[in-house]
Amino acid sequence: RPGFPADMTPEEGALMGAHMAYWAGLAASGAAIVVGPVADPAGLWGLAVIEVEDEREARDILAGDPVTAAGSGFKYELHS
């Protein structure tokens, strides 16, 4: 949403903290090449470039993201 993260709820804040820790771990392991926020005028969103063997591994990584696993309305797109 356009106001995010300025209008983030406490629950969203906790999820985002877990989300950032998850991706920091993937970056430290080398699975995530680059990760970070994108300051789009339409609203903040994130970008991650990952190195994996196949699409299933990519989907497993995305499914393991605390934000995705929480089913709280955040979404992702996978591009290869």
Side-chain angles (χ1 to χ4, degrees):
R1 63 184 180 266
F4 189 84
D7 63 356
M8 188 179 341
T9 68
E11 294 81 13
E12 289 172 331
L15 272 175
M16 290 307 295
H19 167 75
M20 292 184 319
Y22 178 77
W23 285 98
L26 288 168
S29 75
I33 308 304
V34 63
V35 178
V38 176
D40 186 331
L44 185 70
W45 53 277
L47 173 75
V49 176
I50 57 177
E51 185 171 354
V52 295
E53 292 294 321
D54 55 30
E55 185 176 331
R56 179 177 175 148
E57 186 179 354
R59 291 197 181 280
D60 288 346
I61 287 172
L62 294 171
D65 184 330
V67 169
T68 306
S72 59
F74 291 89
K75 64 180 182 172
Y76 68 86
E77 296 177 11
L78 179 61
H79 300 269
S80 57

